[in-house]
Amino acid sequence: MKFGYFDDSRKEYVINTPKTPYPWINYLGNQGFFSLISNTAGGYSFYMDARLRRITRYRYNNVPLDMGGRYFYINDNGTVWNPGWSPVKTELDEYECRHGMGYTIIKGKKNGLKAEVTFFVPQNYDGEVQQVVLTNEGSEAKDFAIFSMAEWCLWDAQDDCTNFQRNFSTGRVEIEDSTIYHVTEYRDRRNHYAFYTVNDTIDGYDTDRDAFLGSIYNGWDNPETVKAGKASNSFADGWSPIASHYKKITLAPGESKTLIYILGYAENPQDKKFASEKPANLLTREAWVLNKEKAYAMIDKYNTPEKVAAGLEELRTTWENLLSIYKVDTPDDKVNRMVNIWNQYQCMVTFNLSRSASYFESGIGRGMGFRDSNQDILGFVHQIPERARERLIDIASTQLSDGGCYHQYQPLTKKGNADIGGDFSDDPLWMILSVASYIKETGDWGILDANVPFDDDPEGKHTMLEHLNVSFYHIVNNLGPHGLPLAMRADWNDCINLSCFSDTPGESFQTYTNPKFKAEGGYSKIAESVFVAALFTYTGPAYVGILEHLGKADEAAKAQAEIDKMKKNTMESAFDGDWFLRAYDANGEKMGSKECEEGKIFIEPQGFAVMSEIGKEEGADIKTLNAIDKYLNCEYGLVLNNPAFTKYYIQYGEISTYPGGYKENAGIFTHNNAWIICAEAYAGRGEKAFEYYSKIAPAFTEETSDIHKTEPYVYGQMIGGKDAKNFGQGKNSWLTGTAAWNMVAISQYILGVKPEFDGLRVDPSIPAAWDGFTATRQFRGDTYEITIKNPDHVNKGVKKLTVDGTEVEGCIVPVAGDGKTHQVEVVLG
Ligand code: GLC
Ligand code: GLC
């Protein structure tokens, strides 16, 4: 069952009922000011940091679920309704929500009155613009009232929802004409404020929540003032400040009126915090006056429909440009809309927000992840390489000089944070992968010379190349009894915690270390991760390639020898006959083996082992891929492990705490499905690669949205696995490494257009039924128009490659570097 449709020409998903199986959201903003907005206009805004600079309030896990947002209420002769249906939930005559690239349009119609609201955050602007167009489509004149509503958050979202003894008494506002200012804590230690304005005169306002609602027993679905058709002109003094504008409107038949509301954020320099005079029309109970210069300038920027149109056009052009860097035309519309639109869009969102704020991440939990952010770069780097470069330097600067990493860092301070500690065994390797992918995209070898400090040597002169070196050797220097990398606190799978042995509620599996391992330095020196071994042999060659390029042949040979040794150790001690083991636990027992009672096979190490060709000559790759198909493949994707754990295995940590089929315990963790898609494509099995891709790619789940539940235009972290009661149900949509990795899987492995150090590889691995496809790829200043022909209907194999009519050996298009457009033709066979 569907709840809407894709409008590819406008790059929008169009939702045609407000009653989606879960709130289907969009993100506005991509620099400093961000908003989350659902299809019923729920959600909230923040500046930079969802925890420390929350602008509007939202209550997670509410009843009903999605309550709190920017709401417009219309009272049309006693009928009260919202253009987005919620919160009043009056049945609408028409409803539509269009989520587009950085904007959302919500339309509602009731009794002949139509309201169309366009929400967006303009480029380089710290505010959300909301343009409301009201049209009387009836045959008689209409008199009605419109009320806006935003509830302020008292800045620190964590404090806001816990520290009521203080913050019920701190709320402060100022009102000047049609603008309501939120100035809580401004006088003392803050230099930022927010405002909500409308570009017209108003007939009243409310800034006190209880006054607006009329009673503490009312909810947002039942505000007294709206029902009464008149604001109460309340002035907030503590409690919960809000901003609501009240306006009376008369429209003749066919007549329209446009109102532009702006929810803005501004910061003042310390010495310019206050205005020297108090204007006569200012409503305040304070002796001081906010300096509003910045707000005035912001309001002036978007206070007419023409200016709004220009802002929208600028946003549209920005996205057209971003999405023109890699474009494809394949025989499958769903592939096209994922690659050309939604997957790339989601990559930008994950790059910006990491795992901080979604409808599943409360924005007050974690900082940015070292591994997460590095992986996000893989999907984003072609869009704005300069921002990727800056991010890489920021992340690397939180690394320690021995190659170890803080697991998380704070975007506001750019410092590592010790909340989750360090010693995650996989972290350093993602840095090699992301830096290599940046160089492959841009050819900017200069990044290796960039001065990048270590967290424990902030003044020292160090280069990015040194960071790669210590990352590589951090693995080599921390091996266990089988010569495999130590598992430490966890690897990519946060829930395999082999040094934890936790039996007390509340202990964090990621930070708690069993006292028996304390003396050994915080983790078992026995437990080893086969996943990290495989990731090492997959990423190591990029490090070797970098050294070779720099003419450091000896160092390259030395590193290569470590990779070869790791492959040998893995084949000798970690191949279980038909697939690779997952780990050795702290007792030296195999995890993810035929010999295990549960959790006999795990997905994570397999794809990287196959792509590193570990044991290929003995057929380990095909055996492994076949085992995945046999044990992990199911209707909605590949489960993480099988059989699911039904008991608590204290020696494994968090993984077996989840009911079977969810999250890391046999859920379909879509992030790692991508690694198998890549591996199948790599092995030339284009049919399987595509089968797995089409099971999880959102556009393919659209038809089963009633089961899948979450947005059909973006990936979620997880889908309920075959052991789950809710088999096929998506969760944790939007902020997941799946976005980047599936962008890599489809664009670089299946469609096979992959940047390399010395050019653009074109080596697809596609369904045999395809006659071919075309792609446009901007790469290092040139544009490549690529045509793939598949006359023999094979999966993989480049028979002939020509660039501008001249045949080229192999499948790498050399960098032309002339800024021109080049024709690339590839014949498969
Ligand atoms: C979450 C984390 C990611 C981790 C994954 C598996 O998605 O953000 O870092 O790799 O879970 O545990
Ligand atoms: C929990 C989650 C996992 C996440 C980790 C770190 O273990 O299950 O997915 O990566 O927390 O926040």
Side-chain angles (χ1 to χ4, degrees):
M1 190 181 162
K2 301 206 296 180
F3 298 84
Y5 60 93
F6 286 94
D7 182 345
D8 293 338
S9 65
R10 294 175 51 141
K11 299 187 172 63
E12 292 171 344
Y13 193 79
V14 188
I15 302 166
N16 48 30
T17 165
K19 293 174 217 167
T20 46
Y22 207 77
W24 284 2
I25 72 163
N26 194 13
Y27 285 83
L28 314 177
N30 56 32
Q31 284 136 328
F33 188 101
F34 292 96
S35 295
L36 284 72
I37 180 165
S38 72
N39 58 309
T40 56
Y44 60 94
S45 305
F46 60 92
Y47 177 74
M48 293 285 273
D49 186 316
R51 172 168 170 180
L52 299 174
R53 289 283 189 286
R54 189 75 66 95
I55 295 167
T56 51
R57 187 175 280 166
Y58 189 76
R59 294 171 186 81
Y60 277 92
N61 197 10
N62 207 326
V63 179
L65 187 69
D66 184 26
M67 194 43 54
R70 67 293 272 159
Y71 293 131
F72 292 101
Y73 295 86
I74 290 168
N75 183 336
D76 178 6
N77 290 297
T79 304
V80 175
W81 58 281
N82 310 102
W85 180 63
S86 191
V88 177
K89 290 186 273 182
T90 300
E91 280 309 315
L92 299 176
D93 300 333
E94 283 174 26
Y95 162 91
E96 185 184 83
C97 168
R98 290 178 171 263
H99 285 318
M101 306 286 104
Y103 65 89
T104 288
I105 303 170
I106 295 178
K107 283 183 235 182
K109 187 173 160 186
K110 185 75 190 170
N111 300 339
L113 180 62
K114 194 169 111 185
E116 172 171 331
V117 192
T118 303
F119 302 88
F120 75 112
V121 173
Q123 290 294 105
N124 307 306
Y125 188 76
D126 294 329
E128 178 181 309
V129 175
Q130 307 161 349
Q131 176 169 268
V132 184
V133 182
L134 299 153
T135 308
N136 180 0
E137 294 188 344
S139 50
E140 317 223 323
K142 262 191 187 294
D143 279 318
F144 61 95
I146 181 166
F147 298 77
S148 67
M149 200 298 296
E151 185 182 14
W152 302 116
C153 179
L154 308 183
W155 307 118
D156 179 331
Q158 164 93 357
D159 189 73
D160 185 70
C161 64
T162 46
N163 191 13
F164 307 110
Q165 62 79 24
R166 168 172 162 82
N167 60 36
F168 278 174
S169 298
T170 56
R172 285 178 159 144
V173 298
E174 284 186 13
I175 307 170
E176 186 179 49
D177 303 328
S178 301
T179 308
I180 297 162
Y181 292 87
H182 177 221
V183 291
T184 299
E185 292 189 343
Y186 183 84
R187 186 196 59 192
D188 321 303
R189 294 177 299 170
R190 294 186 182 273
N191 67 342
H192 44 265
Y193 63 95
F195 62 90
Y196 196 32
T197 189
V198 58
N199 71 335
D200 205 337
T201 55
I202 52 176
D203 297 298
Y205 57 83
D206 270 290
T207 64
D208 179 74
R209 187 183 71 199
D210 295 343
F212 175 73
L213 294 175
S215 156
I216 58 159
Y217 297 100
N218 288 348
W220 297 119
D221 59 336
N222 193 24
E224 209 69 57
T225 45
V226 176
K227 266 202 311 198
K230 197 172 181 319
S232 68
N233 295 346
S234 58
F235 192 91
D237 199 26
W239 293 108
S240 290
I242 63 161
S244 173
H245 308 91
Y246 157 61
K247 179 144 185 82
K248 291 191 280 190
I249 295 173
T250 303
L251 289 180
E255 197 190 350
S256 276
K257 176 158 184 73
T258 300
L259 291 170
I260 299 161
Y261 296 80
I262 299 173
L263 177 72
Y265 169 90
E267 288 174 4
N268 280 335
Q270 203 53 33
D271 58 343
K272 299 212 171 74
K273 277 179 68 169
F274 305 104
S276 46
E277 276 170 43
K278 182 169 168 184
N281 59 344
L282 183 73
L283 299 176
T284 176
R285 57 155 286 186
E286 310 293 335
W288 52 274
V289 176
L290 170 73
N291 171 4
K292 305 181 180 65
E293 293 305 322
K294 287 201 174 160
Y296 295 156
M298 284 179 71
I299 293 167
D300 186 58
K301 198 137 188 233
Y302 290 107
N303 57 358
T304 69
E306 294 71 33
K307 293 178 188 175
V308 170
L312 274 167
E313 191 49 38
E314 190 188 7
L315 184 66
R316 211 184 302 278
T317 314
T318 303
W319 273 104
E320 282 303 323
N321 291 340
L322 286 172
L323 297 176
S324 65
I325 298 164
Y326 186 47
K327 269 197 311 206
V328 297
D329 187 6
T330 77
D332 193 317
D333 283 348
K334 298 191 177 88
V335 171
N336 298 343
R337 67 174 63 112
M338 287 315 308
V339 177
N340 296 339
I341 308 169
W342 292 100
N343 199 168
Q344 297 206 54
Y345 182 62
Q346 188 179 2
C347 283
M348 167 73 92
V349 173
T350 57
F351 175 83
N352 284 329
L353 296 168
S354 189
R355 309 294 172 265
S356 67
S358 74
Y359 267 31
F360 298 87
E361 303 273 10
S362 63
I364 59 181
R366 26 183 167 169
M368 290 175 81
F370 190 94
R371 82 154 79 89
D372 294 335
S373 291
N374 274 302
Q375 290 174 83
D376 291 342
I377 283 179
L378 308 179
F380 168 83
V381 61
H382 63 287
Q383 294 189 16
I384 311 179
E386 311 84 73
R387 284 188 69 198
R389 187 184 208 270
E390 186 190 347
R391 177 70 55 81
L392 284 169
I393 291 175
D394 287 352
I395 309 174
S397 309
T398 69
Q399 193 177 28
L400 301 168
S401 52
D402 70 351
C405 310
Y406 284 101
H407 195 49
Q408 301 191 345
Y409 68 99
Q410 291 305 127
L412 265 189
T413 59
K414 298 189 173 180
K415 287 276 171 231
N417 88 34
D419 291 356
I420 310 281
D423 294 333
F424 285 69
S425 49
D426 61 323
D427 274 338
L429 289 174
W430 301 114
M431 171 118 251
I432 299 181
L433 201 59
S434 60
V435 172
S437 86
Y438 168 79
I439 297 173
K440 287 176 179 176
E441 179 65 40
T442 57
D444 172 17
W445 293 91
I447 191 173
L448 296 169
D449 301 323
N451 182 18
V452 187
F454 287 105
D455 177 88
D456 52 347
D457 184 14
E459 304 304 324
K461 289 262 167 283
H462 300 284
T463 63
M464 184 61 103
L465 184 62
E466 272 180 79
H467 282 265
L468 300 191
N469 177 274
V470 295
S471 294
F472 184 88
Y473 284 99
H474 192 65
I475 309 299
V476 174
N477 295 335
N478 287 285
L479 303 179
H482 299 90
L484 301 171
L486 290 172
M488 305 190 178
R489 288 184 185 285
D491 58 27
W492 173 88
N493 191 326
D494 281 322
C495 301
I496 297 183
N497 319 105
L498 303 180
S499 301
C500 194
F501 290 81
S502 173
D503 56 7
T504 305
E507 280 165 357
S508 154
F509 288 98
Q510 281 76 39
T511 57
Y512 176 71
T513 305
N514 196 279
K516 66 182 168 195
F517 300 115
K518 278 247 165 74
E520 296 182 40
Y523 47 84
S524 157
K525 296 290 186 304
I526 301 285
E528 297 169 296
S529 165
V530 180
F531 167 76
V532 178
L535 183 63
F536 177 78
T537 58
Y538 175 80
T539 50
Y543 178 56
V544 172
I546 287 171
L547 293 173
E548 281 168 350
H549 176 93
L550 299 177
K552 298 178 188 282
D554 292 351
E555 279 184 55
K558 190 174 147 224
Q560 185 58 49
E562 295 295 347
I563 298 170
D564 295 341
K565 193 155 75 187
M566 188 72 80
K567 285 189 180 179
K568 188 162 164 286
N569 296 348
T570 306
M571 203 50 204
E572 275 174 16
S573 306
F575 191 61
D576 203 41
D578 287 302
W579 60 81
F580 292 87
L581 298 179
R582 180 63 179 83
Y584 281 97
D585 69 20
N587 302 318
E589 303 282 341
K590 293 175 183 171
M591 180 183 192
S593 159
K594 292 191 173 77
E595 295 162 23
C596 300
E597 196 189 327
E598 301 184 320
K600 290 172 189 286
I601 171 170
F602 279 74
I603 199 168
E604 298 107 318
Q606 320 299 343
F608 292 124
V610 168
M611 289 188 278
S612 309
E613 304 189 354
I614 300 179
K616 184 172 191 265
E617 48 306 334
E618 293 145 66
D621 57 342
I622 300 301
K623 278 189 199 165
T624 297
L625 291 173
N626 289 344
I628 291 167
D629 194 12
K630 184 161 171 204
Y631 298 107
L632 304 181
N633 190 12
C634 61
E635 193 180 345
Y636 300 111
L638 303 169
V639 297
L640 190 145
N641 55 296
N642 185 254
F645 295 111
T646 60
K647 302 175 199 154
Y648 178 45
Y649 293 79
I650 194 168
Q651 71 274 28
Y652 291 165
E654 184 170 350
I655 186 162
S656 63
T657 65
Y658 286 108
Y662 297 112
K663 296 279 285 178
E664 283 88 342
N665 184 13
I668 297 165
F669 221 95
T670 46
H671 183 153
N672 53 43
N673 279 223
W675 303 334
I676 305 303
I677 298 168
C678 294
E680 287 283 7
Y682 183 86
R685 310 202 317 172
E687 255 25 88
K688 272 285 153 200
F690 196 74
E691 176 195 327
Y692 297 157
Y693 175 74
S694 57
K695 281 185 173 171
I696 59 166
F700 292 81
T701 66
E702 191 194 15
E703 294 288 344
T704 51
S705 287
D706 46 333
I707 298 169
H708 188 72
K709 257 190 152 168
T710 51
E711 298 91 334
Y713 40 91
V714 290
Y715 286 98
Q717 179 205 56
M718 205 253 323
I719 299 170
K722 56 185 172 178
D723 305 278
K725 181 162 171 289
N726 299 314
F727 183 30
Q729 190 177 88
K731 280 196 189 128
N732 305 1
S733 56
W734 282 96
L735 302 182
T736 163
T738 310
W741 269 106
N742 269 291
M743 185 65 202
V744 169
I746 184 68
S747 65
Q748 301 188 3
Y749 283 84
I750 294 181
L751 302 176
V753 181
K754 187 172 190 292
E756 298 284 4
F757 290 131
D758 50 0
L760 195 60
R761 182 186 295 277
V762 184
D763 187 12
S765 198
I766 53 176
W770 284 16
D771 292 327
F773 64 92
T774 60
T776 306
R777 183 64 158 87
Q778 292 173 22
F779 181 63
R780 302 201 199 165
D782 303 325
T783 302
Y784 296 90
E785 286 178 354
I786 305 168
T787 306
I788 311 284
K789 295 183 173 163
N790 191 17
D792 299 336
H793 290 276
V794 297
N795 291 127
K796 186 176 163 118
V798 173
K799 195 156 81 181
K800 188 171 173 204
L801 185 152
T802 57
V803 181
D804 297 327
T806 308
E807 191 162 349
V808 173
E809 265 310 297
C811 44
I812 297 194
V813 178
V815 182
D818 55 9
K820 295 196 176 132
T821 299
H822 300 277
Q823 303 300 321
V824 176
E825 195 180 289
V826 172
V827 181
L828 304 181

